[in-house]
Amino acid sequence: MPTALSSARRRQRHGHSFLSYSTLLLISVFCIVPFFWIFLSSFDGDAQLFLHWPQQWTFDNYTRVFTVEDGGLWLFNSLFIVGCATILVVVLAGFGGYALSRSRAWWKLPFLYGILLIRVLPPTALVVPLYTILLTLNNWESAILRPIFGGLTRDIMRWTGFIDGYLGIILVLAAMQLPLALWIMKTFFDSVSPEYEEAAIIDGASLVQRIRYVLIPLALPGLAAAGLFSFIFAWGDFLMPLIFLSSPELQTLPLGLFRAFLRVNEIDYGLLAAISIIYLLPPAAAFVFARRFLVATFTGGVKG
Amino acid sequence: MKHRRRTAAWQLNLLLFPSALILALFIIYPALYSVYMSFTNEALVGPSARNPSLVGFRNYLRLFGDAEFWNALYVTLVFVVGSAIIGQFVLGLASALALTRRIRFRSLFSVFILLPNAAPEVVAGFMWISMLAGGDNATLSRIVMFFGITPPDWLQVFPLWMIIIVNTWRGIATAMILLSAGLSTIPQDVLEAARIDGARPFQIFRRITLPLMLPTIVLYMLISAVSTIAVFGLIYTLTRGGPGGATELVSIYIYNQSFTAFQLGYGAAVSVIVLLISMAIGIAYVRMMAVKV
Amino acid sequence: MQSRILALGACALTLLATTSIAGAQTIRIAEHRQARIDALNTVVPAIEESLGIEIEVIEYPAPERDYLTRLLTELRAGNAPDLFTAPRGQDVADMVASGYLAPITPDIQAWTDYDQLFDVAVELVTSYDGEIYVLPQMLNVQQIYFRRDILEEHGISTEQPATWADLLDRAREIREVTGAYALLFPSGVTWGGGAFGEGFQYLMAGTPTPELAGEDGTLNLRTDGVRDALNFYADLINDDLMPVQPLLGPEPWVIPKYEMFPAGELVATTCGSWCYIYDWGPESRNPIPDVTQAVGTWAMPGQDGGVHVMVDIDSPWAVNADSAELELATQVLFEIGSVEAAVAYAERLGNIPARRDAADNPDFQALTALVPVHANVENGTFLRTAPGFSVLAEGVARATDALLRQETDADGAHEILVEYVVNFLGDDAVN
């Protein structure tokens, strides 16, 4: 009897694996087929809009991104801007998420739902007023800097300017990602028992000490998840850089890509595909390396 | 003790302050300014760009009689239900369930499923142009021709279906991650016990897995619905809202009103209505599901 | 509103600060599309040298809509480059009304080359308020371009059609005999300003009531002429004379103009002199061999007779009214009006220099397709423009879009147009 049962179950198990395999296979094919074109075209000396097997394999498209176009600069700018925005989001959301988790203030719920729902506002609706604000800040800054630094002002403003400067775009990208990151961190801290802190409080630790020695180590997985998502979304945003950056020195990868695409009937598909692959790699790598621990982190969040 | 708690609240507010400041400056204020703009005839160009004036509810009155606005709302509704609520959820749940089994190539499968989510919007848009546009040369056309079917011009004949498929493709991973997390919270011993009692897999799924995962599913639905309403770049690269408004999501409608028809005031009025509708849905949803945060 | 005033104050402060410090002077120029940027770059070094300044050419998005969006957003915020172009003549009046363009009337009249400008060019740039705000560097001359080779092959007349009805009959004959689409009039929302600029205004010019801009600042839209013009589109669409599907997608011009016309699947289309160079010339993606022979032109017939060739300013140059370097930018503006610059643009884009003495330039003489057009430019017809034309153009795009989707007839489209304009400009703006 037992053997019969277990063999039946084994058969059932086999049936399940088959079902699982075919499900995963179908979904995977659906997911990766669109990538074939962009991947093959990037190595194709004669790339077209449609998929075909390259007649002449070449690295030329990639070389051109860095020699003919300013690919190196675009890559640096993208990494720098999105990197800074991500760090900013992680720090702010770490503190803010903790505060939201522990706070019992009456405005906590409205605040949380408010920032979540504000995400439905398409960024396109915010662009015009955002531009006005950033320009105002930018003009104030330049009014202060100009009398002091004179001709150097423009070089300084390239870093600290709000329009067409690193600082402005970093702040904007960070602000866009902050709501989701705050939610992730808040949910994460909800699952961290306050007992640890209470113990620390009893031991006489100050808020700074508690953060430094208790909360940051506990929050690391959550911070990593929030950072990862912020990085991926901010990396993919092209509307904000499009509107707020114009100097050639500040161009980022999506702008380079968009420009290559908008050359209408002069589109160079090989170049376009090569830029796309370069642009695609960092978030893909981030996702692939982080996928296990993402699930683990959200497990904490969902439980709480 | 009482004194300490009050200090703590003050400290907590201090910790939240920088986030609140950035949100207020770069999101809340622009949003409020949009509300103000919706009562004006502000434009990017023309006489009212120089001297914008308050026009009361004129933008709103116009909006209610604007067939294109209702069309955009309808398209968005179908898009959200089709891609976020059904497409991503079903495929994400299927992958999450399949990946709980100890099968070979597990990590390879999950990498494949994650890739679309990592693709930036513009790149994803390009890839799907190659998949769908270009008549018989489009990749999808060649796939169906392999099976002996005459391919239609995908983006002309089934535009709304196509953008639902594209957005589903992009979001399977998010659903999979969240739902895997939900699945892993289900105690293994409960499942094992059910199995020993002779429950069939489907019964286990319906009676145990699904009810236990309900909170996760509810949270997922809220987040994905809200973020799907704001999808813009992906579809804009692909169709720009056409043909003839068939894929004109509200986000694209707002963009078209504000930046191609240059009517900022009217575009802002549409944004305000969208915000109100989604807030209403959000609140109703939270009340109905009694989600606790 | 408050933030705007603050911004203005800050701007003024910045201005004060800048003038007190003599730095390296830089003029920023917005330009878009690779061909245009290449043309501009041929003259930039010489201008930098002669004025002792630096010029920064900023690449803007190539499609007209994205270009305008970006430019207008920056103009509204007060952060736009010192010099830029308005894509079409119909865009200028509204930019003037917005206060974005610096008036240049005294400067242009004092310009040594002012007398070389065609009279029609000066008329075209004279704004509704009598001032001049833009420099007419180039003109475009538009008419109907048809595949002479195909018509001759099928024994169809290549004679100039005399009336709208005549043109439609010819189109029906083409459709029947060749099986190809007969005649394209740009239309629909995704074509943007082209529905008006490359189609609707040809038709309006041939009606008894051609002027859309009324004397008192209103728009004459409730006329039979407007309805009949829309009915012309309805006829083209309902009789299957023009390809409809491609016009509903993004970049609607790509398939009909760059693919179907060279392949002979579309026999006639409205176009400008640029088509001989940019669309089907040797530099294009699908060149038509011996294009000036294979492709002939008809002037646009009037509703009941008379013919006309449309002439308009093409991408006229303007100085940003908020420019910190107004005077210097104006100097650069006139340098861009030189024969050399105009010919550089003509070579790459196929538009017509707006000055007479371009005819003496050997490089221009080499552009044989353009020389006769340049010589006849003074015979062109044009419509007056007024503020509100950007709304009007969008309204025409929407009205023709509804016709493309066969959702309505000419009366319905007329109603859509009027209603759209009334909604934004008010009831008393429309006659």
Coordinates of all heavy atoms in Angstrom, one line a residue, chain C residues 158-196:
Chain C
T158 N -1.1 64.5 -68.0 CA -0.2 65.2 -66.9 C -0.5 66.7 -67.0 O 0.2 67.5 -66.4 CB 1.3 64.9 -67.2 OG1 1.6 65.4 -68.5 CG2 1.6 63.5 -67.1
E159 N -1.6 67.1 -67.7 CA -2.0 68.5 -67.7 C -2.3 69.0 -66.3 O -2.7 68.3 -65.5 CB -3.3 68.6 -68.6 CG -3.1 68.3 -70.1 CD -2.4 69.5 -70.7 OE1 -2.9 70.6 -70.7 OE2 -1.2 69.2 -71.2
Q160 N -2.1 70.3 -66.2 CA -2.4 71.0 -64.9 C -4.0 70.9 -64.7 O -4.7 71.4 -65.6 CB -2.0 72.5 -65.0 CG -2.6 73.4 -64.0 CD -2.0 73.2 -62.6 OE1 -0.8 73.0 -62.5 NE2 -2.9 73.1 -61.6
P161 N -4.4 70.3 -63.6 CA -5.9 70.3 -63.4 C -6.4 71.8 -63.1 O -5.7 72.6 -62.5 CB -6.0 69.5 -62.1 CG -4.7 68.8 -62.0 CD -3.7 69.6 -62.6
A162 N -7.6 72.0 -63.6 CA -8.1 73.4 -63.6 C -8.9 73.8 -62.3 O -8.9 74.9 -61.8 CB -9.0 73.7 -64.8
T163 N -9.6 72.8 -61.8 CA -10.4 73.0 -60.6 C -10.3 71.9 -59.6 O -9.7 70.9 -59.9 CB -11.9 73.1 -60.9 OG1 -12.3 71.9 -61.5 CG2 -12.2 74.3 -61.9
W164 N -10.9 72.0 -58.4 CA -10.9 70.9 -57.4 C -11.5 69.7 -58.1 O -11.0 68.6 -57.9 CB -11.6 71.3 -56.2 CG -11.0 72.3 -55.3 CD1 -9.8 72.9 -55.5 CD2 -11.4 72.7 -54.0 NE1 -9.5 73.7 -54.4 CE2 -10.5 73.6 -53.5 CE3 -12.5 72.4 -53.2 CZ2 -10.6 74.2 -52.3 CZ3 -12.7 73.0 -52.0 CH2 -11.7 73.9 -51.5
A165 N -12.6 69.9 -58.7 CA -13.3 68.8 -59.3 C -12.5 68.1 -60.3 O -12.4 66.8 -60.4 CB -14.7 69.2 -59.9
D166 N -11.8 68.9 -61.1 CA -10.9 68.4 -62.1 C -9.8 67.5 -61.5 O -9.5 66.4 -61.9 CB -10.2 69.6 -62.8 CG -9.8 69.2 -64.2 OD1 -10.2 68.2 -64.7 OD2 -9.1 70.1 -64.9
L167 N -9.2 68.0 -60.4 CA -8.2 67.3 -59.7 C -8.7 66.0 -59.1 O -8.0 64.9 -59.2 CB -7.6 68.2 -58.5 CG -6.5 67.7 -57.7 CD1 -5.3 67.4 -58.5 CD2 -6.1 68.6 -56.6
L168 N -9.9 66.0 -58.5 CA -10.5 64.8 -58.0 C -10.7 63.8 -59.0 O -10.5 62.6 -58.9 CB -11.7 65.1 -57.2 CG -11.5 65.7 -55.8 CD1 -12.9 66.2 -55.2 CD2 -10.9 64.7 -54.8
D169 N -11.2 64.3 -60.2 CA -11.5 63.3 -61.3 C -10.2 62.7 -61.8 O -10.2 61.5 -62.0 CB -12.1 64.1 -62.5 CG -13.6 64.4 -62.3 OD1 -14.2 63.8 -61.3 OD2 -14.1 65.3 -62.9
R170 N -9.1 63.5 -61.9 CA -7.8 62.9 -62.2 C -7.4 61.9 -61.2 O -6.9 60.8 -61.6 CB -6.8 64.1 -62.3 CG -5.5 63.7 -62.9 CD -5.5 63.6 -64.4 NE -6.0 64.8 -65.0 CZ -5.3 65.9 -65.3 NH1 -4.0 65.9 -65.0 NH2 -5.8 67.0 -65.8
A171 N -7.6 62.2 -59.9 CA -7.2 61.2 -58.9 C -8.0 59.9 -59.0 O -7.4 58.9 -58.9 CB -7.5 61.9 -57.5
R172 N -9.3 60.1 -59.3 CA -10.1 58.8 -59.5 C -9.6 58.0 -60.7 O -9.5 56.8 -60.6 CB -11.6 59.2 -59.7 CG -12.2 59.8 -58.4 CD -13.7 59.9 -58.5 NE -14.2 60.6 -57.3 CZ -14.5 61.9 -57.3 NH1 -14.4 62.6 -58.4 NH2 -14.9 62.4 -56.2
E173 N -9.2 58.7 -61.7 CA -8.7 58.0 -62.9 C -7.4 57.3 -62.6 O -7.2 56.1 -62.9 CB -8.5 59.0 -64.0 CG -8.2 58.4 -65.4 CD -7.7 59.4 -66.4 OE1 -7.9 60.6 -66.2 OE2 -7.2 59.0 -67.5
I174 N -6.6 57.9 -61.8 CA -5.3 57.3 -61.4 C -5.6 56.1 -60.6 O -5.0 55.0 -60.9 CB -4.4 58.3 -60.6 CG1 -4.0 59.5 -61.4 CG2 -3.3 57.6 -59.9 CD1 -3.3 60.6 -60.6
R175 N -6.5 56.2 -59.7 CA -6.8 55.0 -58.8 C -7.3 53.9 -59.6 O -6.9 52.7 -59.4 CB -7.8 55.5 -57.7 CG -8.2 54.4 -56.7 CD -7.1 54.4 -55.6 NE -7.4 53.5 -54.5 CZ -6.8 52.4 -54.3 NH1 -5.8 52.0 -55.0 NH2 -7.1 51.6 -53.2
E176 N -8.2 54.2 -60.6 CA -8.8 53.1 -61.4 C -7.8 52.5 -62.3 O -7.7 51.2 -62.4 CB -9.9 53.8 -62.2 CG -11.0 52.8 -62.6 CD -12.2 53.5 -63.0 OE1 -12.8 54.3 -62.2 OE2 -12.6 53.4 -64.2
V177 N -7.0 53.3 -63.0 CA -6.1 52.8 -64.0 C -4.9 52.1 -63.4 O -4.5 51.0 -63.8 CB -5.7 53.9 -65.0 CG1 -4.7 53.3 -66.0 CG2 -6.9 54.4 -65.7
T178 N -4.2 52.8 -62.4 CA -3.0 52.2 -61.9 C -3.2 51.3 -60.7 O -2.3 50.5 -60.4 CB -2.0 53.4 -61.5 OG1 -2.6 54.0 -60.3 CG2 -1.8 54.4 -62.6
G179 N -4.3 51.5 -60.0 CA -4.5 50.7 -58.8 C -3.8 51.3 -57.6 O -3.9 50.8 -56.5
A180 N -2.9 52.3 -57.8 CA -2.1 52.9 -56.7 C -3.0 54.0 -56.1 O -4.0 54.4 -56.7 CB -0.8 53.5 -57.3
Y181 N -2.6 54.3 -54.8 CA -3.3 55.5 -54.2 C -3.0 56.7 -55.0 O -1.8 56.9 -55.6 CB -2.8 55.7 -52.8 CG -3.4 54.7 -51.9 CD1 -2.7 53.7 -51.3 CD2 -4.8 54.7 -51.6 CE1 -3.2 52.7 -50.5 CE2 -5.4 53.8 -50.7 CZ -4.6 52.8 -50.2 OH -5.1 51.9 -49.4
A182 N -3.9 57.6 -55.2 CA -3.8 58.7 -56.1 C -3.2 60.0 -55.6 O -2.3 60.6 -56.1 CB -5.2 59.0 -56.7
L183 N -3.7 60.5 -54.4 CA -3.4 61.8 -54.0 C -3.4 61.9 -52.5 O -4.4 61.6 -51.9 CB -4.4 62.8 -54.6 CG -4.2 64.3 -54.2 CD1 -2.8 64.8 -54.6 CD2 -5.3 65.1 -54.9
L184 N -2.3 62.4 -51.9 CA -2.2 62.5 -50.5 C -2.2 63.9 -50.0 O -1.5 64.8 -50.6 CB -0.9 61.9 -50.0 CG -0.6 62.1 -48.5 CD1 -1.4 61.2 -47.6 CD2 0.9 61.9 -48.2
F185 N -3.1 64.3 -49.1 CA -3.1 65.5 -48.4 C -2.8 65.2 -47.0 O -3.6 64.5 -46.3 CB -4.5 66.2 -48.5 CG -4.5 67.2 -49.6 CD1 -4.4 66.8 -51.0 CD2 -4.7 68.6 -49.4 CE1 -4.4 67.8 -52.0 CE2 -4.8 69.5 -50.4 CZ -4.6 69.1 -51.7
P186 N -1.7 65.7 -46.4 CA -1.4 65.4 -45.0 C -2.5 65.7 -44.1 O -3.2 66.8 -44.3 CB -0.2 66.3 -44.7 CG 0.5 66.5 -46.1 CD -0.7 66.5 -47.1
S187 N -2.8 64.8 -43.2 CA -4.0 65.1 -42.3 C -3.8 64.3 -41.1 O -3.0 63.4 -41.0 CB -5.3 64.8 -43.0 OG -5.2 63.7 -43.9
G188 N -4.7 64.5 -40.1 CA -4.7 63.8 -38.9 C -3.8 64.4 -37.8 O -3.0 65.2 -38.0
V189 N -4.1 63.9 -36.6 CA -3.4 64.5 -35.4 C -1.9 64.3 -35.4 O -1.2 65.2 -35.0 CB -4.1 63.9 -34.1 CG1 -3.3 64.3 -32.9 CG2 -5.5 64.5 -34.0
T190 N -1.5 63.1 -35.8 CA -0.1 62.8 -35.6 C 0.8 63.6 -36.6 O 2.0 63.7 -36.4 CB 0.3 61.3 -35.7 OG1 -0.3 60.8 -36.9 CG2 -0.3 60.6 -34.5
W191 N 0.2 64.1 -37.7 CA 1.0 64.9 -38.6 C 1.3 66.3 -38.0 O 2.1 67.1 -38.6 CB 0.4 64.9 -40.0 CG 1.4 65.1 -41.1 CD1 2.4 66.1 -41.1 CD2 1.6 64.3 -42.3 NE1 3.1 65.9 -42.3 CE2 2.6 64.9 -43.0 CE3 0.9 63.2 -42.8 CZ2 3.1 64.3 -44.2 CZ3 1.3 62.7 -44.0 CH2 2.4 63.2 -44.7
G192 N 0.6 66.6 -37.0 CA 0.9 67.9 -36.3 C 0.5 69.1 -37.2 O -0.5 69.1 -37.8
G193 N 1.4 70.1 -37.2 CA 1.2 71.3 -38.0 C 1.0 71.1 -39.5 O 0.6 71.9 -40.2
G194 N 1.4 69.9 -40.0 CA 1.4 69.6 -41.4 C 0.0 69.6 -42.0 O -0.2 69.9 -43.1
A195 N -1.0 69.1 -41.2 CA -2.3 69.0 -41.7 C -2.8 70.4 -42.2 O -3.4 70.5 -43.2 CB -3.3 68.5 -40.6
F196 N -2.4 71.4 -41.4 CA -2.7 72.8 -41.9 C -1.7 73.3 -42.9 O -2.1 73.7 -44.0 CB -2.7 73.7 -40.7 CG -3.0 75.1 -41.0 CD1 -4.4 75.6 -41.2 CD2 -2.0 76.1 -41.3 CE1 -4.6 76.9 -41.5 CE2 -2.3 77.4 -41.7 CZ -3.6 77.8 -41.8

